[in-house]
Amino acid sequence: MSLQAPEFFTELCLPLHDHAVVGNTYYATPVPGTPLRLRIDFTRTIHADTYGGLRVAVVHPERGEIDAVALSFLDHGTFHRRDEATNTRPNTKQYGTFDTHHRPGRPPWDGAVTSGLRDAIEQYTAVWFPGAWAASAPKRAAGRTPRRTPPPPTTPAGARTR
């Protein structure tokens, strides 16, 4: 069964414009004109067809892999809400992981909260690709202008209303 990797990486909202998903792997060129590339794969667990995190690697086209880090779903709270809601116990196959068996019409990683992973990927890429996220990230829309809340109507302290 498909991991629906393109949808997962879209959910991560990585702001790297020059990227592609091939199979279950995300590839990016965070800084144009440099040979270093970013590769993100799903990490397997000891259980068949079960994934426990992401492996983020910096790759040079001639020298191969330069550096890599494993980011577990458990450490980054990716499935904390899902596991809590379904009463999934720690130290079970399903805890903090996902597998290829899932409900029809839903992705296998349904219930994932990816903000922790995204933050970790941003921190890692800042070391190897300084400024890449700032250069690639779309400008945030200005937030709403705060409205003044009118003060409550003044009534005498002991007055009754009917």
Side-chain angles (χ1 to χ4, degrees):
M1 296 197 100
S2 169
L3 293 181
Q4 298 179 7
E7 293 85 353
F8 181 85
F9 291 116
T10 298
E11 182 89 11
L12 271 176
C13 297
L14 302 176
L16 306 171
H17 295 297
D18 192 10
H19 69 274
V21 177
V22 179
N24 293 325
T25 304
Y26 178 93
Y27 297 94
T29 306
V31 179
T34 64
L36 294 181
R37 305 290 185 258
L38 183 69
R39 181 183 67 215
I40 304 174
D41 301 291
F42 292 97
T43 59
R44 296 179 183 267
T45 67
I46 61 171
H47 303 285
D49 300 323
T50 303
Y51 301 88
L54 298 176
R55 185 172 188 277
V56 183
V58 176
V59 180
H60 187 278
E62 294 170 3
R63 297 182 190 141
E65 190 172 284
I66 304 291
D67 189 61
V69 63
L71 305 174
S72 78
F73 295 142
L74 183 61
D75 290 344
H76 294 89
T78 308
F79 294 106
H80 178 74
R81 287 185 195 163
R82 179 205 66 188
D83 291 345
E84 200 170 71
T86 58
N87 243 359
T88 304
R89 308 313 290 144
N91 299 322
T92 61
K93 175 185 170 187
Q94 296 81 17
Y95 189 74
T97 66
F98 76 88
D99 59 29
T100 54
H101 307 288
H102 53 89
R103 294 185 314 188
R106 304 299 300 170
W109 38 267
D110 191 30
V113 176
T114 58
S115 56
L117 285 173
R118 184 181 189 279
D119 292 345
I121 293 168
E122 181 178 10
Q123 290 173 0
Y124 181 77
T125 56
V127 172
W128 289 97
F129 308 101
W133 280 48
S136 300
K139 303 295 182 215
R140 287 188 175 185
R144 289 189 190 176
T145 306
R147 291 185 284 162
R148 289 188 51 198
T149 306
T154 57
T155 57
R160 294 175 122 175
T161 57
R162 290 199 161 136

